[in-house]
Amino acid sequence: MRILLVEDDESIVELLTAVLVGQNYVVDVATDGESGWELVEAFPYDLILLDIMLPRLDGISFCRRLRERNNPVLVMLLTVRDTTTDKLMGLDGGADDYVIKPFNSQELIARVRALLRRGSTVLSSVLEYGGLQLDPNTRNVAYNGASLQFSRKEYLLLELFLRSPHRVFSRRAIVEHLWSFDEEAPVEDTVKSHIKNIRKELRRVGAGDLLETLYGQGYRLNPSFLEKSNPAPAPANVPPDRLDATVAQIWERKKGACLERLTVLDKAVQALKTRSLDATLHQKAIENAHKLAGGLGTFGLDEGSHLARQIETLLESYLPQVESSAAQHRQSINKPLEQLVSDLRQVIQQQPNQRVETSAEVQAAPTLSAQPQPILLVIDRDPALSRELELEAASWNIQVIHIADLAQLRTQLQHTEPNLILLDLDFLKDPASRSPLMADLQDFAPSTPIVVLSREEDYGDRLMAVQINAKLFLSKTTPLPQILQSITQIWQELHWGTAKVLVVGQVKTTRQMRTSLSPSLQITELNDFTQIWETIRAVHPDLLLLEMQVPDVNGLQLCQAIRQDPYWNWLPVVVLIQAVIPGILHDIFAAGADDYVTATTPLESVVVQVTNRIRRSRLLRSASQVDALTDLSNRQQSIQGLNQLLRIAQRSQQPVCFAVLDLDHFKRVNDQYGHMQGDRVLRQFGQFLKQKFRAGDVVARWGGEEFVVGMYGITWGDGTERLAEILEEWRSTPLTSNQETVLTTSFSAGVSQYPQDGITVQMLYRAADTALYRAKVAGRDRIFSTRWQPSLEASTVDVALIYPEDEDNFAQTLMRALDTRGYHTCWFKQGKDAIKRFRARRSPFQASAILLSDNLTDLSWRDLVKRLGTKQRHQMRIILLLSQSDTVEKNQADLLFDYLLVPCPTSVVMQRLRQPCPGILLNLLGDVLAPWGGITVGVAPGFIPLIMG
């Protein structure tokens, strides 16, 4: 069935599209009302999901227009507005249902199914025709009780016929119903191929003629098969795990967009403080608060949604165009609004939602996203070892609790639930301590993994470790980093979660396996061998269970084909055979299979074989793809991820920001503190980076102290700002040291952008590495993009700061922030000194922007701006830094580009500066228009770029 989603919030669009496509709906998307209307006029839809607050054409007007044109399509409104009046307005406008944001994805899917059933001539939840049954809830298809398997498009095609059992569908009509607007239209043979595959599967159960061809017209269900059917079974509930995982993954990608909306709210708060909140910014802030209120709750952040609603309400109560109202109301909402925005930022940044936590448990492979800090309970009588272990564990993000006296163990276990236990085997060798120790562990930590430490490595010690079911046996002579690396590996295994098994062939035991396998295994069935590669790419299985011989296909040849594929040759393959006959095992292993099972192998044994194979495969892949020291992707694995980002960016016409990071003066750390301390710094830096980037970003260590980052959908400007904020936080982060001194480090980075700086990973790396070299030459501890160029003239800068010495060191902090981002700067502490330089007859000083204090000791800011002259004022932006919340009169505001209250976070100032400034606009426009002869670019008063030719 085909659904149109009309929604302008990108996060909700991505979430709903993924969820609906996962339920086998065909989805088209429009981000404004008029675009949605164009799609309605072009394609037939079964349902429209419609936001109310839309650009160009609002949802209520959209709905009324539908009904005025007698279009009966079902409409479900999506909105944050939850008052009775709003609901009545929507339903009176012609909507069929009304869903309040934030909504639960599972509930929304259920509402969609219910609404589609209401509008369908087929009232049963299970679609039937003759002996054919299709359950849209579970997506199971059967004929007279025999299960049938179809690809996604084949399933949708069969559902289309069953929902309109008496209609003849032409190939064109099938394409319009089953292929979304942004998909490439299929060729004629594609539809014929799907029809052929459906008939082939139906023929297997004696219903090969159920699909009838009417030559010159199309296809329909054969009326001769129509007969009264038995009542359909009650539909099964849709498992929520996949929906929760989808929601969590999309949240990780869209978290940055929510933070950008917060930036707009920050700007509104600053403007409110300085009494400069105009109607445009006011309305923009309301819109962003509205979208946050609707989006955050949908991703499980109910507290964030509540805070955003409060912010929206406060902003709506403020009327900047009514001076009396604004003056009376400003003081009452200023502080509450600022606190709400601060609280909302904390919720988004620091409190993962429930669905994100759930997804971490169901992901099929090790993830590079940050894990919660594990608690390691160390039961050992060696205080020196415990101190060293605690110091080393800090760089591994592991919390250590030390127990030396068993009398404390029971109390500790009652108050703390450790994730892992490191046990000195000497406790078990002492009969007096063995029994109470094992009793406490059995009572309070029965399933907690145990790692054993032993002074000796003889058979008796190893056997004792086996008897207590320890996960790992380590010698006390093992270096501490290796001990912690092993512990981290076990911790990661606990969070690998659900593994995916792709069963290929007519495996009779598949249904038994689906019900009998442990919850950590997820089964996907495939009968159509022609869809093998598409299914593998879509499912991304951890293991392939392959039937050796099925009609028309040799399973061993398929195994060989997988081993020939450079991307999937790692995939474990277990072959199912009927019985062991001479020579068959040689053929199986020669084809590249990893193991085999027979039709008579007990199901429990199959589960153990499959689980062990997946575990070993994951361990080997982790070792080959992950840098052991930092737990980031290594060079080889990250190049694959970066290439994938570039392919996606090429298809979607989006930028990719590529950065090369290098820790500054790292050799000094090794020389002064030792290589073990250097490893700690690298490890902490890797953990730090994992926490600061999105789950979809590529973060890797390429060797030594060099790291790379790939960020999809981000330009070089946004990437530079993001890295600068990360650098400012990193340089103030104290690092663990084996000496009493506090150790801090910095890093430098070069930033390039796809496709402007290159279309391959190698080209982007070279461009970013060149920018990194310039950052190091300029003094390190800064972020330079490929756009950065050294200043050719000392009298020309990007930013001039005119600010006196201050006790809070705000000016010094601001100057360092500007230097970090690669701005060419100059600091004048007296207004008259600045005027002399700017008004000099020879080589007058030039700046793209001026940051001007209102608290100069020798000159008022108004006099300084007027002395600059009209021409200079129009050539640069002047941002006034107010020391107190004074009103800037309109005639004075005309002299300024912007003004804000200080001290404030430097990110607020950087945001103002990053708005397109004249010099940058001219350079960019000049680059774009260079190929067109006879065109020059100029700047008009008000800093509006003009194209003249």
Side-chain angles (χ1 to χ4, degrees):
M1 305 192 77
R2 190 165 190 156
I3 296 177
L4 173 62
L5 173 60
V6 190
E7 169 66 65
D8 62 332
D9 189 330
E10 292 181 1
S11 59
I12 293 182
V13 166
E14 185 172 351
L15 171 63
L16 287 183
T17 302
V19 170
L20 291 170
V21 170
Q23 298 293 313
N24 280 331
Y25 295 109
V26 178
V27 181
D28 290 334
V29 174
T31 55
D32 64 77
E34 289 295 348
S35 299
W37 184 256
E38 291 175 2
L39 290 174
V40 167
E41 292 186 315
F43 300 99
Y45 291 101
D46 300 286
L47 173 67
I48 298 176
L49 297 178
L50 183 64
D51 187 23
I52 289 184
M53 293 184 64
L54 289 168
R56 299 180 66 191
L57 178 65
D58 67 90
I60 301 295
S61 301
F62 187 104
C63 197
R64 287 173 178 163
R65 186 187 291 185
L66 279 173
R67 302 317 182 207
E68 289 171 359
R69 307 289 175 89
N70 295 320
N71 191 326
V73 63
L74 297 168
V75 176
M76 179 183 289
L77 293 177
L78 309 174
T79 181
V80 177
R81 305 291 188 183
D82 59 353
T83 65
T84 302
T85 303
D86 291 320
K87 294 178 182 178
L88 291 175
M89 186 181 300
L91 296 173
D92 289 343
D96 299 278
D97 202 354
Y98 194 101
V99 176
I100 304 299
K101 300 178 186 176
F103 49 78
N104 181 278
S105 302
Q106 299 172 44
E107 180 183 346
L108 180 71
I109 290 298
R111 297 275 289 269
V112 166
R113 285 199 301 265
L115 190 56
L116 288 171
R117 285 198 299 271
R118 188 201 310 172
S120 174
T121 56
V122 183
L123 299 179
S124 172
S125 59
V126 176
L127 306 176
E128 297 186 65
Y129 192 89
L132 183 67
Q133 292 184 336
L134 183 149
D135 188 343
N137 295 324
T138 61
R139 298 190 288 283
N140 289 331
V141 185
Y143 184 81
N144 288 337
S147 179
L148 301 173
Q149 300 297 324
F150 298 101
S151 69
R152 180 174 180 271
K153 285 295 184 188
E154 291 160 9
Y155 170 88
L156 292 173
L157 183 53
L158 197 58
E159 183 184 18
L160 179 66
F161 285 120
L162 287 171
R163 290 194 181 276
S164 303
H166 305 292
R167 177 177 171 181
V168 177
F169 286 93
S170 66
R171 293 194 187 104
R172 179 177 178 181
I174 290 172
V175 170
E176 288 181 350
H177 277 84
L178 301 188
W179 271 263
S180 62
F181 179 69
D182 57 353
E183 285 185 284
E184 185 177 353
V187 297
E188 181 177 322
D189 288 343
T190 301
V191 176
K192 292 171 63 177
S193 176
H194 288 309
I195 295 290
K196 179 181 177 182
N197 291 336
I198 292 175
R199 285 173 172 164
K200 181 178 178 181
E201 181 69 2
L202 290 171
R203 193 177 299 118
R204 185 174 62 82
V205 293
D209 297 329
L210 193 146
L211 277 185
E212 183 181 33
T213 302
L214 299 181
Y215 292 98
Q217 299 181 54
Y219 307 96
R220 70 173 182 182
L221 294 176
N222 192 331
S224 64
F225 279 76
L226 185 60
E227 61 185 24
K228 197 166 184 179
S229 309
N230 295 325
N237 292 329
V238 180
D241 291 349
R242 294 186 185 178
L243 283 177
D244 288 339
T246 300
V247 171
Q249 291 165 6
I250 294 174
W251 164 252
E252 288 301 321
R253 292 197 296 271
K254 292 301 179 183
K255 184 176 179 180
C258 292
L259 292 173
E260 290 177 6
R261 296 194 188 283
L262 271 178
T263 303
V264 176
L265 298 182
D266 282 331
K267 187 175 181 180
V269 170
Q270 283 290 329
L272 192 62
K273 283 184 179 181
T274 58
R275 306 179 187 180
S276 60
L277 181 61
D278 56 28
T280 302
L281 178 57
H282 179 236
Q283 184 59 36
K284 191 175 181 181
I286 292 175
E287 291 172 0
N288 279 274
H290 179 84
K291 293 184 186 301
L292 286 170
L296 291 177
T298 304
F299 288 105
L301 286 161
D302 296 330
E303 182 184 358
S305 178
H306 178 68
L307 291 171
R309 281 177 181 270
Q310 291 181 275
I311 293 171
E312 182 184 10
T313 302
L314 280 178
L315 287 170
E316 286 179 336
S317 67
Y318 176 71
L319 302 175
Q321 67 273 23
V322 182
E323 290 298 329
S324 59
S325 172
Q328 294 170 2
H329 203 50
R330 184 186 301 112
Q331 295 299 327
S332 63
I333 72 169
N334 197 359
K335 288 186 178 180
L337 185 62
E338 185 175 15
Q339 185 61 48
L340 285 170
V341 172
S342 176
D343 292 345
L344 182 56
R345 182 179 296 278
Q346 185 177 5
V347 168
I348 294 175
Q349 288 181 330
Q350 298 180 6
Q351 298 179 5
N353 61 64
Q354 184 61 39
R355 297 191 183 106
V356 173
E357 293 172 352
T358 303
S359 72
E361 300 171 1
V362 300
Q363 289 183 3
T367 176
L368 292 182
S369 59
Q371 300 272 10
Q373 186 181 37
I375 298 175
L376 174 65
L377 179 63
V378 180
I379 307 175
D380 190 283
R381 293 192 179 98
D382 186 349
L385 174 64
S386 298
R387 282 195 302 271
E388 293 176 9
L389 188 62
E390 186 173 358
L391 176 66
E392 186 70 23
S395 65
W396 291 80
N397 194 34
I398 296 175
Q399 179 185 350
V400 173
I401 298 176
H402 178 228
I403 292 291
D405 185 359
L406 289 184
Q408 304 172 1
L409 179 60
R410 176 176 287 266
T411 303
Q412 185 66 54
L413 289 175
Q414 287 176 335
H415 293 86
T416 305
E417 185 176 348
N419 303 106
L420 301 105
I421 295 174
L422 184 63
L423 174 63
D424 185 351
L425 207 58
D426 288 344
F427 282 97
L428 298 180
K429 294 179 180 180
D430 183 359
S433 62
R434 179 185 177 96
S435 295
L437 169 63
M438 295 309 299
D440 288 344
L441 293 181
Q442 184 63 35
D443 290 342
F444 298 102
S447 59
T448 304
I450 298 176
V451 177
V452 165
L453 275 180
S454 174
R455 296 183 184 278
E456 303 174 7
E457 299 185 52
D458 58 18
Y459 176 75
D461 284 4
R462 292 183 179 274
L463 182 60
M464 195 177 297
V466 172
Q467 290 171 347
I468 67 170
N469 200 27
K471 281 281 186 181
L472 201 62
F473 180 93
L474 296 173
S475 169
K476 281 201 170 184
T477 59
T478 305
L480 288 181
Q482 188 174 335
I483 292 176
L484 290 166
Q485 183 179 345
S486 301
I487 289 172
T488 301
Q489 188 177 72
I490 295 174
W491 167 245
Q492 289 175 341
E493 286 184 46
L494 297 175
H495 289 78
W496 278 347
T498 304
K500 300 177 184 177
V501 178
L502 177 60
V503 181
V504 182
Q506 307 292 335
V507 181
K508 296 180 181 179
T509 58
T510 298
R511 190 170 297 276
Q512 289 179 281
M513 292 175 64
R514 186 185 294 277
T515 57
S516 303
L517 285 179
S518 65
S520 61
L521 293 178
Q522 175 184 319
I523 299 292
T524 301
E525 302 171 48
L526 177 66
N527 294 325
D528 183 2
F529 283 83
T530 62
Q531 301 291 322
I532 180 67
W533 298 111
E534 291 81 357
T535 306
I536 286 178
R537 283 191 288 267
V539 175
H540 208 291
D542 296 283
L543 181 138
L544 189 66
L545 183 58
L546 176 65
E547 188 173 10
M548 181 171 176
Q549 194 67 49
V550 293
D552 304 325
V553 178
N554 186 314
L556 296 185
Q557 291 178 349
L558 182 57
C559 180
Q560 290 174 316
I562 290 173
R563 292 295 175 249
Q564 292 171 354
D565 188 277
Y567 189 77
W568 293 103
N569 56 17
W570 59 269
L571 184 63
V573 178
V574 176
V575 178
L576 175 65
I577 58 177
Q578 294 301 313
V580 178
I581 58 177
I584 193 171
L585 297 185
H586 174 272
D587 295 340
I588 288 173
F589 293 116
D594 299 275
D595 205 348
Y596 74 94
V597 294
T598 68
T600 59
T601 303
L603 199 58
E604 294 79 8
S605 299
V606 175
V607 172
V608 172
Q609 285 180 264
V610 167
T611 303
N612 285 340
R613 282 290 169 188
I614 291 174
R615 179 178 179 274
R616 295 299 302 167
S617 172
R618 285 177 165 179
L619 289 174
L620 291 172
R621 289 189 68 203
S622 177
S624 64
Q625 297 176 355
V626 177
D627 176 61
L629 183 61
T630 62
D631 200 33
L632 298 176
S633 294
N634 59 21
R635 182 187 182 97
Q636 180 180 0
Q637 176 66 14
S638 64
I639 287 178
Q640 291 184 12
L642 290 166
N643 281 327
Q644 184 177 2
L645 286 186
L646 295 183
R647 286 193 295 269
I648 297 172
Q650 184 181 19
R651 289 198 302 268
S652 57
Q653 300 294 304
Q654 289 291 317
V656 173
C657 182
F658 181 90
V660 181
L661 290 67
D662 195 274
L663 287 170
D664 294 330
H665 306 296
F666 186 70
K667 187 176 183 301
R668 295 182 188 174
V669 176
N670 283 330
D671 293 343
Q672 184 174 351
Y673 297 95
H675 285 81
M676 183 175 290
Q677 179 62 38
D679 288 347
R680 288 197 192 105
V681 172
L682 290 172
R683 195 156 42 243
Q684 285 186 267
F685 189 55
Q687 295 286 336
F688 179 80
L689 291 180
K690 278 203 296 185
Q691 297 171 8
K692 298 304 173 185
F693 291 97
R694 303 168 298 182
D697 294 333
V698 175
V699 185
R701 180 190 177 206
W702 274 23
E705 63 269 28
E706 184 179 74
F707 297 77
V708 300
V709 177
M711 296 170 278
Y712 172 80
I714 291 181
T715 63
W716 62 268
D718 293 331
T720 299
E721 180 62 26
R722 181 77 186 108
L723 286 166
E725 292 174 355
I726 291 172
L727 170 57
E728 288 169 343
E729 184 175 349
W730 171 252
R731 68 161 72 112
S732 61
T733 301
L735 307 178
T736 56
S737 171
N738 53 4
Q739 302 180 16
E740 295 183 358
T741 57
V742 177
L743 174 63
T744 58
T745 63
S746 63
F747 67 86
S748 303
V751 181
S752 60
Q753 179 181 322
Y754 167 89
Q756 285 80 0
D757 297 316
I759 57 174
T760 67
V761 173
Q762 187 63 25
M763 294 170 67
L764 292 171
Y765 174 80
R766 288 176 180 172
D769 192 53
T770 301
L772 171 62
Y773 174 77
R774 291 175 176 172
K776 289 182 177 181
V777 171
R780 302 178 188 263
D781 190 24
R782 57 199 71 206
I783 315 297
F784 281 4
S785 74
T786 52
R787 273 56 173 181
W788 185 91
Q789 296 292 334
S791 179
L792 300 179
E793 298 181 12
S795 60
T796 301
V797 297
D798 298 315
V799 180
L801 177 63
I802 308 177
Y803 204 100
E805 292 275 7
D806 61 318
E807 296 180 357
D808 297 330
N809 293 323
F810 176 73
Q812 290 89 333
T813 303
L814 191 54
M815 286 295 293
R816 188 172 188 186
L818 292 168
D819 291 339
T820 296
R821 292 155 176 79
Y823 287 100
H824 299 295
T825 60
C826 181
W827 181 12
F828 297 103
K829 299 175 183 179
Q830 297 288 334
K832 292 181 179 179
D833 292 340
I835 289 298
K836 288 179 181 178
R837 294 294 304 276
F838 278 103
R839 301 294 291 171
R841 293 184 178 181
R842 293 185 179 181
S843 301
F845 207 76
Q846 297 179 359
S848 299
I850 293 179
L851 299 177
L852 175 59
S853 171
D854 70 337
N855 198 25
L856 298 175
T857 57
D858 61 339
L859 200 63
S860 73
W861 71 264
R862 300 171 186 80
D863 290 339
L864 188 146
V865 173
K866 291 178 180 178
R867 291 190 188 185
L868 286 175
T870 303
K871 182 178 179 180
Q872 282 186 307
R873 288 202 304 270
H874 289 166
Q875 288 177 342
M876 66 186 85
R877 60 175 60 196
I878 302 175
I879 300 175
L880 182 62
L881 308 179
L882 293 171
S883 58
Q884 53 185 342
S885 181
D886 288 337
T887 301
V888 179
E889 298 175 2
K890 188 177 189 318
N891 62 341
Q892 298 170 345
D894 291 340
L895 302 173
L896 306 170
F897 174 81
D898 204 348
Y899 47 96
L900 52 93
L901 187 65
V902 295
C904 64
T906 56
S907 59
V908 176
V909 182
M910 298 305 128
Q911 179 193 354
R912 299 295 199 277
L913 290 173
R914 285 178 58 217
Q915 297 173 16
C917 70
I920 295 175
L921 278 175
L922 289 177
N923 291 336
L924 291 177
L925 286 171
D927 292 341
V928 171
L929 300 175
W932 304 83
I935 297 180
T936 58
V937 181
V939 176
F943 312 130
I944 301 174
L946 299 177
I947 302 176
M948 301 175 291

